[in-house]
Amino acid sequence: MFRTLLRRPSLLIGLIVIALVLAGALFAPLIAPYQPDAQMFDGLSLEGAPLPPSHQFPLGTDTLGRDLFSRLLYGARTSLLIGLVANGIAVLIGLLIGTIAGYFSGLVGGTLMRFTDLMMAFPALLLAIVLAALLHPSLWIVALVIALVNWAQVARIVYTETRSLAERDFILAERAMGAGHLRILVLHILPHLVPTAIVWGTLGIATTVLLEATLSFLGIGVQPPEPSWGNIVFESQSYFQQAPWLVFFPGAAILMTALAFNLVGDALRDITDPTQRGRG
């Protein structure tokens, strides 16, 4: 498995980018030259316009004279925290519902999967906008909203795998020996679902980061002055022609982070899929 990992340059690139983003988020207080909400008079030109990248301000300043590099570092904390928390909750909900529906077929499984299909029928972004608008937007509310709209895909995948596992000979043998449902689920079903949960958990972080950025860009995500990559773009969109770096740098951070998690998730999916081993 590790030899396969080393033969994938795209995976190594993804891991390097993720490591850099995580390091920037974790050590933001040590790396950032300024506080993210510090407004400085020397951060604006004489006409009150934001300054371009310079030695004093590596990525320039925003419309309020705040250092963009510092805000991106602290914004990485917000975006990654929401991505990890929201996606972790979504994977847990999807794993729980998918496993129960796949193992207990009939009325229980049918009801749970019809509810899952109903959730998948709604556009995720539209549902997230409605939920975020009904609730008071905050960091944890945004994470909860994203989790509530992203679990259905995981549940559908887990359901299909659980249905297949429940009909295997070793599961039938466990039942014949009198093993209870809880023992079968915990000791024999869930261990086989761990690779799927890891892969979808990794892939889902990219989707979650993008969705958080979209909600913040629309003004119903993380609220200022708490920085996130999405609301940095939202605050600077009207100055795109005057100060394009205000949109380019946070946009590039969102793009590179989402791409990195997708590269890692795709590689893990290929490695854990027996039909893909030996290819590439």
Side-chain angles (χ1 to χ4, degrees):
M1 180 176 178
F2 285 106
R3 287 196 298 269
T4 305
L5 290 175
L6 293 176
R7 288 198 300 266
R8 292 178 174 270
S10 61
L11 173 63
L12 293 178
I13 293 173
L15 290 175
I16 291 173
V17 173
I18 292 173
L20 291 175
V21 174
L22 286 175
L26 291 174
F27 300 106
L30 301 177
I31 301 175
Y34 307 99
Q35 289 298 315
D37 54 351
Q39 297 178 250
M40 294 163 286
F41 292 108
D42 56 350
L44 295 173
S45 66
L46 295 177
E47 297 80 13
L51 296 179
S54 62
H55 176 73
Q56 183 180 3
F57 304 106
L59 299 183
T61 61
D62 65 6
T63 56
L64 297 178
R66 298 173 297 190
D67 179 53
L68 183 59
F69 178 62
S70 301
R71 289 184 62 75
L72 285 182
L73 288 176
Y74 280 90
R77 286 183 151 193
T78 303
S79 297
L80 287 180
L81 179 61
I82 291 179
L84 294 172
V85 172
N87 197 58
I89 296 174
V91 169
L92 290 177
I93 295 175
L95 193 63
L96 177 64
I97 293 180
T99 303
I100 294 175
Y103 183 78
F104 297 102
S105 56
L107 180 61
V108 175
T111 302
L112 289 176
M113 293 319 296
R114 296 297 75 75
F115 176 66
T116 302
D117 293 339
L118 179 64
M119 293 296 296
M120 293 181 67
F122 284 100
L125 179 59
L126 180 60
L127 183 59
I129 291 174
V130 172
L131 291 175
L134 292 176
L135 303 172
H136 181 67
S138 66
L139 190 149
W140 300 111
I141 291 297
V142 171
L144 179 61
V145 166
I146 295 176
L148 291 177
V149 301
N150 278 349
W151 64 266
Q153 292 82 0
V154 181
R156 172 57 69 179
I157 298 296
V158 170
Y159 168 78
T160 303
E161 292 200 14
T162 304
R163 288 288 296 164
S164 175
L165 289 169
E167 298 174 358
R168 299 281 183 88
D169 291 339
F170 69 93
I171 297 296
L172 298 178
E174 282 288 321
R175 290 175 177 169
M177 290 187 295
H181 296 311
L182 184 61
R183 176 183 174 84
I184 294 175
L185 285 172
V186 173
L187 297 182
H188 300 286
I189 299 291
L190 285 178
H192 287 82
L193 300 176
V194 169
T196 300
I198 293 175
V199 170
W200 279 91
T202 306
L203 287 171
I205 292 176
T207 304
T208 304
V209 169
L210 290 173
L211 186 54
E212 182 278 326
T214 303
L215 292 176
S216 296
F217 175 77
L218 295 175
I220 53 176
V222 178
Q223 299 299 298
E226 184 75 26
S228 78
W229 291 339
N231 65 27
I232 291 175
V233 176
F234 171 72
E235 294 172 353
S236 308
Q237 58 178 325
S238 58
Y239 294 88
F240 175 70
Q241 293 184 338
Q242 298 173 266
W245 62 87
L246 295 179
V247 176
F248 174 78
F249 287 120
I254 295 170
L255 174 63
M256 294 301 297
T257 303
L259 178 60
F261 278 108
N262 273 326
L263 290 175
V264 174
D266 284 338
L268 290 176
R269 180 178 57 190
D270 293 343
I271 292 170
T272 56
D273 185 358
T275 64
Q276 299 293 328
R277 290 175 186 167
R279 300 184 181 180

